[in-house]
Amino acid sequence: ARRAAAAVARVRGGGEKGSVKSGRVAQGAADNALSVMAEGLLHHPDSVGDLQAQSALWTMWLAGLPCQEDAAESMRNSKVLLQAVEQSNLALFGEGGCNMGRIVALLVEACDPKVVDVETSVRICSLLRSLDQSQLHLHAEALLPKRRKRLHHLVGLPDAVVPPAA
């Protein structure tokens, strides 16, 4: 998981310049590395270290999302995110729930037929609806207006969360 994190950081950091095609290949490799990282964190968390080390890698994984080049890896990582949230993975949530805003934003973005299948989309909507409404309000306020409006549509938040169009 640590090697995958390093690979993602190198590609996302834009360290080496090359052709557009080589950039797309590198981005696809980074997307794959995110999937490997997530699978390791989800299925072999003890091999990563203690809760703090796991949380640091989950935070890095969240920062690498969404996948940018590989649609299959995007779906795979969205499903892993959903599964980890459904399992109440404390390392994913971060200390004091510091990753919840990013998690909500990614779930809102993933709840799209271009990203995940219908079954996963339904599960994401159900999960978002099950979250504490006051916490959801807090996270909604931090979203970009387009995502905030989408969240409102997905879970039926009160209109006060979505600012009126200018």
Side-chain angles (χ1 to χ4, degrees):
R2 291 174 204 254
R3 286 187 201 150
V8 171
R10 273 196 307 277
V11 171
R12 296 279 161 86
E16 296 142 19
K17 301 293 181 212
S19 70
V20 171
K21 184 177 179 182
S22 67
R24 293 181 77 169
V25 169
Q27 186 58 59
D31 292 348
N32 291 340
L34 283 169
S35 294
V36 169
M37 188 176 172
E39 292 296 327
L41 286 165
L42 191 62
H43 300 294
H44 307 286
D46 294 337
S47 67
V48 172
D50 63 6
L51 189 64
Q52 187 176 8
Q54 293 170 34
S55 185
L57 286 175
W58 276 115
T59 300
M60 192 178 300
W61 177 74
L62 290 168
L65 295 175
C67 292
Q68 298 173 16
E69 196 61 41
D70 191 326
E73 296 304 330
S74 182
M75 180 181 287
R76 184 175 173 190
N77 279 290
S78 296
K79 288 181 176 186
V80 166
L81 176 60
L82 177 61
Q83 181 181 0
V85 173
E86 288 174 335
Q87 293 174 350
S88 298
N89 185 312
L90 295 177
L92 171 69
F93 298 148
E95 188 174 337
C98 65
N99 289 335
M100 281 305 296
R102 180 75 177 139
I103 291 167
V104 169
L106 289 166
L107 288 172
V108 168
E109 189 170 317
C111 197
D112 181 324
K114 296 175 194 162
V115 179
V116 296
D117 54 54
V118 173
E119 177 187 334
T120 304
S121 185
V122 168
R123 284 177 51 210
I124 290 171
C125 287
S126 177
L127 175 80
L128 289 170
R129 287 185 190 112
S130 74
L131 295 175
D132 178 78
Q133 290 293 302
S134 63
Q135 289 297 313
L136 203 52
H137 279 281
L138 288 174
H139 299 307
E141 289 175 14
L143 295 174
L144 296 171
K146 186 176 179 180
R147 282 198 186 134
R148 201 175 318 147
K149 188 172 186 174
R150 180 152 175 77
L151 177 61
H152 174 269
H153 173 74
L154 293 172
V155 300
L157 285 175
D159 290 334
V161 175
V162 181

